[in-house]
Amino acid sequence: MLSAAGVGWPDGGSAPLPYVTGLGWPAAQRGISSSQSPEQASSKRGAESVSVNGQEDLSLPGSDRVRNALAAAVSRGTLDVVASTGEMSGAHGSGGDRMSADPVVPDAEVVVPDAPVTTSGDTPIARAAEAAVGVRGGAKREPWPRPARCRIMTIANQKGGVGKTTTAVNLAASLSQHGVRVLVVDLDPQGNASTALDVDHHVGRDSVYNVLVDERPLSEIVTEVEGMPGLFCAPATIDLAGAEIELVPMVARESRLNRSIEQLDMTNFDYVLIDCPPSLGLLTVNALVAAEEVLIPIQCEYYALEGLEQLLRTVELVRGHLNAGLRVSTILLTMYDGRTRLATQVADDVRSHFGDVVLQTIIPRSVRVSEAPSYGQSVITYDPASTGAVAYAEAARELAYRAVTA
Ligand code: ADP
Ligand code: MG
């Protein structure tokens, strides 16, 4: 089992790695990507010569630094890889904090490329129009496919402020509006997902803390989100901050969330989305052990790539020791600002390295997205016609259709 001291995870990420097979990246991504030079792509020496921890060569043009950081981040996954495009997989996240919302900046243009699966004559613009109409009239929404069995996805990224919570809440809200039942498990002591879904999470109420520490059944704390049929939340209170420490001496400390989810009547849910805190502690490890899939939101900024290497390594560790079924299934590009070349560069390079794992839909920066939580709402209900809402709805749709085509 994990040998880490303290909260039970690699000290500084330097734990010696036993050989672990790849993360399941698509085989096609093993080759040289169109935006890479052969030198960068053909061996791991490019990765080894580049640090992703702030040591990058600042004399390089920005685009080269982006590529180098990415090469370092994915080097392990792109060598010795087991191909499994479209398979369900898992990942995790955590990390430092960087606020990215800038309410002064107007909404970036929404990027909604053609989704890989479309229904007859259906286009993103038509769906955006439908969304706009839906605000006022409550147009009938097309039901989306429900997976044959519940998909358990951990939304993780090493860094804070990359859109984990926003992604969890808005994908969940979109899915639930289309007849898909979703449970959001708030695993961040800050309780941001609980706030955004307007679920009571005052100190003292039973929460995910009691599930992890007191082995309280998860079903007892699950609350249906008001006004959103089919959307449920297991709230987090600030007590959860103590759980990182309290869990350390406990039996099966890494698997406690997994056990409580196993005891849940899964026929009630189509998706469980676990919103991780920004750290690599025991809470995040619990989320990774409980899930089959990892969804990594990546902010379209250069530094957003820096944590990826450690994140992917952590996924490998969990996969190798605690949860062999874990796969990184989905990457979502967030907070895209099409006016900056860097955002475009990051998006292109992430896509060229990770291929089909990256959802076609890119989430733009949108003032409405950042405003919604203060009203206890997802942007999907707060302003369904906004660029952010349309993009999240589109991303959720991709996710739902991928489940049946994978
Ligand atoms: P994390 O959970 O990874 O820490 P959050 O989802 O809380 O990140 O997002 C960090 C901040 O950025 C929040 O204030 C959120 O409202 C804002 N934000 C997230 N996505 C967007 C977006 N697409 N456009 C504008 N602001 C965003
Ligand atoms: Mg969060």
Side-chain angles (χ1 to χ4, degrees), residues 17-365:
L17 257 186
Y19 176 79
V20 181
T21 53
L23 288 161
W25 305 121
Q29 299 309 312
R30 300 172 67 181
I32 299 166
S33 73
S34 55
S35 61
Q36 254 185 334
S37 70
E39 297 75 37
Q40 285 168 325
S42 63
S43 82
K44 66 170 151 182
R45 72 181 181 274
E48 284 169 347
S49 63
V50 174
S51 164
V52 291
N53 294 315
Q55 316 275 323
E56 78 277 11
D57 182 354
L58 293 171
S59 65
L60 288 172
S63 59
D64 286 354
R65 281 189 282 132
V66 168
R67 291 195 182 108
N68 287 347
L70 203 52
V74 302
S75 60
R76 193 184 316 278
T78 51
L79 297 171
D80 311 313
V81 165
V82 179
S84 61
T85 310
E87 253 178 45
M88 303 298 109
S89 46
H92 92 294
S94 69
D97 255 62
R98 186 180 302 127
M99 284 293 291
S100 345
D102 180 0
V104 183
V105 179
D107 286 9
E109 192 185 336
V110 67
V111 178
V112 186
D114 284 340
V117 180
T118 54
T119 51
S120 52
D122 202 9
T123 64
I125 290 174
R127 289 191 292 277
E130 268 171 26
V133 172
V135 196
R136 290 151 210 127
K140 191 165 177 357
R141 295 187 184 90
E142 156 209 2
W144 287 343
R146 289 160 49 185
R149 66 187 177 90
C150 183
R151 295 174 74 182
I152 305 174
M153 306 183 77
T154 282
I155 300 181
N157 187 312
Q158 175 111 339
K159 291 180 183 289
V162 299
K164 288 184 292 297
T165 301
T166 306
T167 296
V169 165
N170 291 298
L171 291 183
S174 295
L175 288 165
S176 73
Q177 283 194 333
H178 292 266
V180 181
R181 300 156 310 165
V182 188
L183 168 62
V184 175
V185 177
D186 190 349
L187 213 58
D188 186 343
Q190 293 178 80
N192 294 154
S194 311
T195 303
L197 294 171
D198 202 20
V199 171
D200 172 28
H201 61 116
H202 71 269
V203 179
R205 79 149 279 175
D206 286 343
S207 69
V208 167
Y209 169 85
N210 306 89
V211 170
L212 295 177
V213 174
D214 306 331
E215 299 185 36
R216 191 82 191 261
L218 190 53
S219 58
E220 290 183 12
I221 64 145
V222 168
T223 310
E224 184 156 20
V225 176
E226 216 182 305
M228 299 289 289
L231 180 54
F232 302 83
C233 176
T237 60
I238 194 69
D239 303 319
L240 199 53
E244 289 274 10
I245 307 295
E246 290 175 58
L247 285 173
V248 172
M250 291 189 179
V251 176
R253 59 189 181 177
E254 300 96 352
S255 321
R256 294 173 83 89
L257 181 64
N258 184 41
R259 281 197 195 171
S260 65
I261 289 180
E262 276 174 2
Q263 285 159 14
L264 206 58
D265 182 358
M266 297 309 271
T267 59
N268 291 330
F269 306 107
D270 301 309
Y271 285 76
V272 174
L273 302 181
I274 306 171
D275 183 29
C276 283
S279 74
L280 287 178
L282 267 176
L283 291 174
T284 297
V285 172
N286 264 274
L288 290 174
V289 172
E292 288 183 337
E293 301 182 50
V294 182
L295 186 162
I296 307 178
I298 297 183
Q299 198 182 348
C300 293
E301 287 181 10
Y302 173 68
Y303 288 111
L305 301 173
E306 287 192 344
L308 264 186
E309 184 184 24
Q310 193 182 5
L311 173 60
L312 298 179
R313 190 184 303 137
T314 306
V315 172
E316 285 183 4
L317 278 168
V318 171
R319 181 176 151 117
H321 294 268
L322 295 164
N323 181 8
L326 189 64
R327 301 280 187 287
V328 177
S329 69
T330 313
I331 290 176
L332 178 63
L333 294 162
T334 63
M335 300 189 212
Y336 178 82
D337 185 344
R339 294 164 304 181
T340 70
R341 280 178 54 200
L342 184 61
T344 314
Q345 184 76 56
V346 170
D348 287 351
D349 283 1
V350 167
R351 209 180 281 293
S352 71
H353 277 278
F354 292 98
D356 289 345
V357 170
V358 188
L359 292 183
Q360 292 295 307
T361 307
I362 299 177
I363 308 301
R365 262 188 196 287

